[in-house]
Amino acid sequence: MQKVKDQIFQAYQFRHACKEFDSTKKVSNADFDFILETGRLSPSSFGFEPWKFVVIQNPLLREKLLPVTWGAQKQLPTSSHFVIVLSRTQADLVADSAFIQSMMKDIQLLPEEVQQGKGKVFHNFLEKDFKLLDSERITFEWGCRQTYIALGNMMTAAAQIGIDSCPVEGFHKEKAEQILKEEGILKGNFGIACMVAFGYRINEPRPKTRQSIEQIVEWVQ
């Protein structure tokens, strides 16, 4: 057990927001499939998986995205794999949407009466508990929160097998989405939640800095 703990801690010490990658080194298909699978298997609120992972390998498309992705000026050109993480929008995240109904029926394989009960609980959660239906943007941001669970799991899994990553929020959302729409990539009820680059570091990072455990944890006995 201690060996496993040590390996996990080593991965967390290894992982950093890599600003530039060695463009001559590529992540193998098997390793990247593994990373994507950890995203697919990630948990989400109500188990509704409101995400989609778009892997941008086309160099011309990366060039188009570069002017509107100020937070990835070095990562976009040099990363082995660059992923745009999409979240579903409000149209797909209301309880009676075709997507939610299909998730419960076809993916979660719930009996009809359970589907109805879960749908009512979910609607109450959206409308009253978290008031997520007040605006389309609020609902979308809730979906984005789910995608960040998958994002964290993919970056940690990558670190555990010696692959670097960098999450990216530095982009102009509307302009990046417009490019994806023009390319026929962004279709349906989706918007960009975040981006993430994967590859192998070209420079060693500075020592990791974090608040102490006492600063961030409060025990209530």
Side-chain angles (χ1 to χ4, degrees), residues 35-219:
I35 292 169
L36 290 173
E37 185 68 359
T38 64
R40 187 184 76 87
L41 293 174
S42 294
S44 58
S45 186
F46 288 85
F48 286 150
E49 308 169 39
W51 47 57
K52 185 175 181 179
F53 311 113
V54 181
V55 187
I56 306 296
Q57 298 302 85
N58 186 301
L60 294 178
L61 181 52
R62 289 195 187 191
E63 286 183 18
K64 287 184 180 181
L65 288 167
L66 196 60
V68 300
T69 313
W70 54 266
Q73 290 298 290
K74 292 185 178 179
Q75 294 94 328
L76 253 175
T78 64
S79 60
S80 170
H81 291 70
F82 194 86
V83 181
I84 296 180
V85 182
L86 304 181
S87 169
R88 290 183 181 271
T89 60
Q90 188 182 76
D92 276 352
L93 294 179
V94 291
D96 61 353
S97 71
F99 170 72
I100 295 298
Q101 294 298 311
S102 176
M103 282 296 300
M104 291 191 292
K105 178 182 178 182
D106 304 320
I107 304 301
Q108 298 176 348
L109 303 178
L110 301 177
E112 186 174 350
E113 64 274 14
V114 178
Q115 294 175 41
Q116 294 175 357
K118 184 172 183 176
K120 291 179 181 178
V121 171
F122 181 53
H123 176 73
N124 187 72
F125 164 79
L126 294 174
E127 183 180 48
K128 298 178 181 179
D129 294 341
F130 270 54
K131 299 185 184 304
L132 295 172
L133 301 180
D134 289 353
S135 78
E136 291 187 5
R137 185 59 187 254
I138 291 174
T139 313
F140 173 72
E141 293 297 338
W142 174 78
C144 291
R145 292 212 302 266
Q146 313 312 309
T147 72
Y148 275 63
I149 299 172
L151 171 69
N153 286 344
M154 288 192 291
M155 291 192 298
T156 299
Q160 288 180 304
I161 58 174
I163 294 170
D164 290 293
S165 63
C166 183
V168 177
E169 282 191 324
F171 58 91
H172 192 292
K173 181 176 180 294
E174 291 182 2
K175 291 180 179 179
E177 288 178 347
Q178 184 59 37
I179 291 171
L180 296 185
K181 287 177 182 178
E182 291 172 355
E183 294 291 324
I185 296 169
L186 186 59
K187 297 175 288 188
N189 301 315
F190 283 101
I192 300 177
C194 59
M195 304 176 180
V196 57
F198 294 94
Y200 295 97
R201 66 187 67 179
I202 197 168
N203 298 310
E204 288 301 314
R206 64 183 177 88
K208 194 178 293 291
T209 57
R210 290 292 188 276
Q211 297 178 76
S212 69
I213 196 73
E214 291 77 16
Q215 288 175 293
I216 64 169
V217 176
E218 177 180 353
W219 288 78

